[in-house]
Amino acid sequence: MKESILSWLKNRYPVDSVTEFAQKKKVPLFQGTIWYYFGGITLFLFLIQVATGILLLFYYRTGADQAYESVKFLMTKVHFGWLIRSIHSWAANLMVLSAFIHMFSVFFTRAYRKPRELTWITGMVLFLLAMAFGFSGYLLPWNELAFFATKVGTDIVGAVPFVGDFLLTLLRGGSDVTGATLSRFFGFHVALFPGIFTLFLVIHLAFVQVQGMSKPIGAKEEELKTMPFFPNFVLRDLLIWLIVLNVLAILAVFFPWELGAKADPFVPAPAGIRPEWYFMFMFQTLKMLPAHIAGLEGETVGVMAFAIAGIFWILIPFFDRSSQRGHKSKLLTYIGIIVVIFILVMTILGYTLS
Amino acid sequence: MSQDFKRRTIVNWLLGGGVIAWLSAIFFPVLKYLQPPSIPEAVVSSVKAATVNELANNSSKIFKFGNKPGLLIKTPAGEWRAFTAICTHLDCIVQYRDDLEHIWCACHNGHYDLQGRNISGPPPRPLEEYDVNIQGKDVYVSKRT
Ligand code: FES
């Protein structure tokens, strides 16, 4: 049976070359092998997002007068509705977390070096899209926290020089955060971003397949131990996915995601408005900047600084000459460590300072 | 040869220009489409925000000024004050704190005094102040001209 199906396929598709390819692929074994799992974890969580997102769509209604009610209905009346929503929210957070880890591990191991520059860039696009997913999805339940977080977040975008106003109206669908904003964010979240994300994901994964796993920098080919990708590494991947799924289930069940109060544009902001944790470091930095720096609004300066830093980060494979020559530059390691510390400190400050 | 070369350059320019024109013909309408048409806002210059007896001293109320929230305050001394309720920092809606006896923004802990001046926290500018007029039993709020 198996034989006949296989030969049926073989007559039509280049099955052999695929299996041969899979057999040849090797994963280097060394201290850092553990970091190889985080790309896969991120992928797994993304798949969960797609599945739960589709399920949520069956009940969700957009619009300022229905969104909150439909989520409430989903959470109180629909069987397991609370669970699906809770998983969607938790998996989103874990996905961003594992994307952070994946990104920094690639950075510190210099896995972005030649010939993988484009893999890094597509990865960065995916990373930014993941954050955009988080930001747009946050508003959809139309609760108070999300409403004000979106006001603040889009207002920050409005601080970008020259195009700020244009972007602000583009995002908000008007000058204020209203039902029009909600419709837009819904469109971004369920149609535009998934489309672009899938495209870049396919490219990113294809690059990884074509070039194989990156070897630790400066390692001697013959001294390096390896493990076959298929089936050994894949099985380990699956095991880890199972563990992640369990962690996710525990979080979703024991810490179900709150809905909060419905957004009302004529009610003062409640205390404790804060963005999701992965925006906290930027947010906290902007908050600590003085109102005016060198004659410009502090915010504008901060936003520009983050934009420049982001562009530098995306283009790092092209700046990093020493990794192309096969050794790590100390300077970049220090920069990386400073970035991590900066993010951690600002995040902690954001949660502890009132 | 050079004749050929010239011809090719011209063709390339035409082709390239054609592609650019074609792309902008697609993206211009799309970008414009994404920009919402500006709906002429009913210009509100004055609204009835409350009745005289509605607020006690040292209390406040959010009222609708057109489609924007406004903040009406009766100070501890019994004076009426009105401002936009939109924080000048990042757009949150401010509130009157009767315990502090001034205006507060919960988003990033911004404080304004009873003149609407930003006195602490991140807000860069004072709140826009409105005029308050009492006509009989009604409290009218209007834009300063
Ligand atoms: S929005 Fe009011 S203090 Fe930031």
Side-chain angles (χ1 to χ4, degrees), chain A residues 148 151-152 155-156 166 169-170 172-176 184 265-271 273 283 287 291-292 297 299, chain B residues 31 33-36 41 62-64 66-69 89-95 104 106-109 122 124-125:
Chain A
F148 284 108
K151 262 179 160 276
V152 170
D155 210 76
I156 290 175
F166 173 76
T169 358
L170 203 73
R172 287 188 177 175
S175 57
D176 290 312
R184 276 180 189 228
F266 287 97
V267 158
I273 290 294
F283 183 71
K287 207 164 123 183
H292 299 281
E297 286 213 6
E299 213 126 85
Chain B
L31 267 185
Y33 172 85
L34 290 176
Q35 240 181 333
E41 250 177 67
I62 296 264
F63 62 94
K64 291 192 185 190
N67 52 9
K68 301 248 197 305
H89 178 223
L90 292 174
D91 240 13
C92 280
I93 299 178
V94 298
Q95 56 190 290
W104 179 62
C107 283
H108 317 106
N109 200 19
R125 278 184 305 280

Side-chain angles (χ1 to χ4, degrees), chain A residues 195-212:
Chain A
I196 308 177
F197 193 93
T198 309
L199 182 69
F200 275 90
L201 183 61
V202 169
I203 299 175
H204 188 71
L205 293 178
F207 283 168
V208 176
Q209 294 316 312
V210 170
Q211 293 173 335

Side-chain angles (χ1 to χ4, degrees), chain B residues 83-133:
Chain B
F83 305 94
T84 73
I86 299 174
C87 182
T88 56
H89 178 223
L90 292 174
D91 240 13
C92 280
I93 299 178
V94 298
Q95 56 190 290
Y96 179 71
R97 288 265 300 258
D98 52 6
D99 53 337
L100 302 173
E101 304 194 346
H102 67 227
I103 303 162
W104 179 62
C105 177
C107 283
H108 317 106
N109 200 19
H111 295 259
Y112 302 86
D113 66 11
L114 284 176
Q115 265 70 45
R117 289 180 298 224
N118 43 319
I119 46 176
S120 92
R125 278 184 305 280
L127 293 172
E128 189 192 337
E129 190 167 0
Y130 298 140
D131 285 328
V132 184
N133 294 303

Side-chain angles (χ1 to χ4, degrees), chain A residues 143-206:
Chain A
N143 53 20
E144 231 174 15
L145 286 179
F147 176 76
F148 284 108
T150 306
K151 262 179 160 276
V152 170
T154 47
D155 210 76
I156 290 175
V157 174
V160 177
F162 308 119
V163 288
D165 280 336
F166 173 76
L167 290 178
L168 183 85
T169 358
L170 203 73
L171 284 174
R172 287 188 177 175
S175 57
D176 290 312
V177 175
T178 57
T181 318
L182 183 58
S183 304
R184 276 180 189 228
F185 275 38
F186 181 65
F188 293 149
H189 192 77
V190 308
L192 185 64
F193 294 160
I196 308 177
F197 193 93
T198 309
L199 182 69
F200 275 90
L201 183 61
V202 169
I203 299 175
H204 188 71
L205 293 178

